[in-house]
Amino acid sequence: MSPIASESQPPQALSKAWGRLPAAYAIPSSAPSLEQAQQYCRLLARTHYENFSVATWFLPKKLRQDFFNVYAYCRTSDDLGDEVGDATASLALLDEWQKELDACYKGDPRHPVFVALAETVKKFEIPQHEFSDLLIAFRQDQTVTRFETFADVLAYCRYSANPVGHLVLYLCGYHDAERQQLSDYTCTALQLANFWQDVSVDYAKGRIYLPLEDLKRYDVSEKDIQQNRNTPAFCEMLKFEVARAREWFDRGLPLVQKVDNALAVDLELFTRGGQEILNAVERQDFAVLGRRPVISKPRKLALVARAAMGKLLGKS
């Protein structure tokens, strides 16, 4: 099936843009059945990201398809922004994706992600902005590559990370502002941990998420990052940033005590995983340039085992 043309972009240009991604990502001319759409989301979730599959071990079976649907939306949205390799093309595709989201809420989507997601949206009464907020961050990625202050980084996390936590809470039956705020702390902390782990990876994409005010304060130059120079000044700066991320994890920890056991286990798994990233950074003495810190397989298994034990013992 050929992708739908955009009113603002020539069909040929849009087709070329979709061609930069897996063929299944394109918006088809007609909608699949609900069963086909759900199968599409299950396959994407189970094959694209192993950590998501691990997390679903602890979810009630009745929620798994809905989590697959939400994950498929988040994964595809991220790829439209990050895997196309051309900012103009990404912006055009994100506009098309926004139109499909609008169609999802109007009741006439065509893409399998949105056909499946429409059922989830109705069941859990999820506001549209929780999905469209993510697109704000992915559009911003096409035009904003530096952040002057830490407040600017936090504002970016407000759209790039925090909506995901809200979506999870909706799926688990929580709609209140208190839990959403605690979730924001955890999601922001996870985003910061990934930023500090991936300084060189992000720089290769043309982006620096370290606040420029901190580079100036610690006398670190962009050239240091470009040339993978783990200077004492850079390592001291990253030590400061890691401590900041730990503070945000600490702020979010009370959420574990305010949700049911199934979600608490997942929250602990992701929180411990994010903290373990920070531990890996620290074990390298904060010298992450050119040497991306990773969590070893035994440590990953230990995290899962710990979460599983908590599930068996009924602990939150």
Side-chain angles (χ1 to χ4, degrees), residues 226-294:
Q226 179 188 36
Q227 298 184 356
N228 294 330
R229 293 198 298 242
N230 290 293
T231 63
F234 174 85
C235 294
E236 190 64 25
M237 177 187 66
L238 203 63
K239 181 178 180 180
F240 169 72
E241 305 296 358
V242 165
R244 267 179 165 173
R246 291 193 190 281
E247 289 176 5
W248 284 80
F249 275 122
D250 289 343
R251 293 182 188 183
L253 280 176
L255 181 60
V256 175
Q257 306 298 328
K258 296 179 180 292
V259 297
D260 63 33
N261 183 57
L263 180 54
V265 171
D266 278 333
L267 285 173
E268 180 174 353
L269 181 61
F270 282 110
T271 296
R272 301 296 180 193
Q275 291 172 329
E276 191 58 39
I277 290 174
L278 298 179
N279 292 342
V281 171
E282 190 168 351
R283 283 193 294 273
Q284 287 187 194
D285 294 325
F286 309 98
V288 300
L289 298 178
R291 298 171 51 204
R292 183 179 185 268
V294 295

Side-chain angles (χ1 to χ4, degrees), residues 169-221:
L169 287 174
Y170 272 105
L171 294 185
C172 293
Y174 302 110
H175 304 75
D176 58 286
E178 179 189 7
R179 288 183 179 88
Q180 287 188 353
Q181 179 62 76
L182 292 172
S183 171
D184 289 348
Y185 293 143
T186 298
C187 290
T188 291
L190 285 166
Q191 181 79 89
L192 295 176
N194 287 327
F195 285 161
W196 310 158
Q197 177 188 36
D198 287 333
V199 177
S200 290
V201 173
D202 290 330
Y203 188 79
K205 297 176 182 178
R207 301 171 191 158
I208 295 179
Y209 293 103
L210 291 160
L212 297 184
E213 65 180 2
D214 293 344
L215 267 68
K216 295 172 186 174
R217 181 182 303 128
Y218 284 88
D219 195 23
V220 175
S221 69

Side-chain angles (χ1 to χ4, degrees), residues 3-18 20-21 27 77 80-81 84 86-100 135 138-139 142-143:
I4 298 297
S6 168
E7 296 178 359
S8 57
Q9 291 287 329
Q12 186 176 4
L14 268 178
S15 180
K16 185 177 180 180
W18 283 114
R20 297 170 182 263
L21 294 164
I27 301 171
S77 301
L80 293 179
V84 176
D86 178 274
T88 301
S90 281
L91 288 170
L93 295 184
L94 288 167
D95 285 345
E96 292 299 290
W97 202 239
Q98 177 71 60
K99 291 177 184 177
E100 271 296 288
L135 301 186
F138 299 137
R139 289 190 183 98
Q142 311 312 311
T143 56

